[in-house]
Amino acid sequence: MHGTQTLEILLRCLSNIDEEVLLSGCCALYALIQRSPPARLLFLRKNGVAELGECLRDYNTGIKGTSLQIVCALASENEPAREEMRQEELLLCVLRTIQSFPAEDVTLGVLDAALEAVAHIVTNSPANQEYLRMQGGIDPLVDALRYAIDRIAVGQGGPTHDVESDAVVDAIWMGGDRPGVDLLKVTETACFALSNVVYHCSENQAAALELG
């Protein structure tokens, strides 16, 4: 089947009300986008970023987590994608996900993926750095880092507290090969996100310092 037709079919899956269809569509899209630069460009031309925003609002951790992995794949090497993620308020959706932690639909694994998404979306984008600050987005990043560090300090640095749920997400995201997310991993990813948020941005640096 022609590549354009395949992608269009998968995009239609993202608006399907059947959760299993939606989840399968997300997984297939992630596999395709992760391996194919042309597919990433086509995804953007087909307004896929807006569809991802809806997926991030889903309560299924697999759907939410896989969508975040798609965001990371798109934003890591495509400046126009980062700009569109701000314009379509996808960055805002990612921030809201981080703010919601801990929650039934925001496990430690989902939090880690959301933090990584922020790190990529703000890379080399002063406009996105400013937008994040204006939306109060530095606070939840610091809160996530503080959460992980505080629990590591009292000896809770092992695997995520929601082992069964995250095991399902791990299997979905990386075919079962992804290592379990723990508090040490979240600490590393939160530092990565904060580093990119404040990089060459004095206003963000000052805002982060104010939070201690």
Side-chain angles (χ1 to χ4, degrees), residues 2 9 12-14 19 26-27 45-46 51 54 58 76 89 150 160 165 188:
H2 192 277
I9 290 172
R12 285 203 296 271
C13 291
L14 298 188
E19 197 169 81
C26 287
C27 294
R45 287 202 297 268
K46 296 292 182 179
E51 295 290 347
E54 293 302 316
D58 198 277
S76 63
E89 297 192 339
D150 286 350
T160 171
S165 178
E188 177 184 338

Side-chain angles (χ1 to χ4, degrees), residues 16 29 43 75 88 143 166-167 179 200:
N16 197 295
L29 271 172
F43 181 87
E88 293 288 344
D143 288 344
D166 277 354
H200 285 178

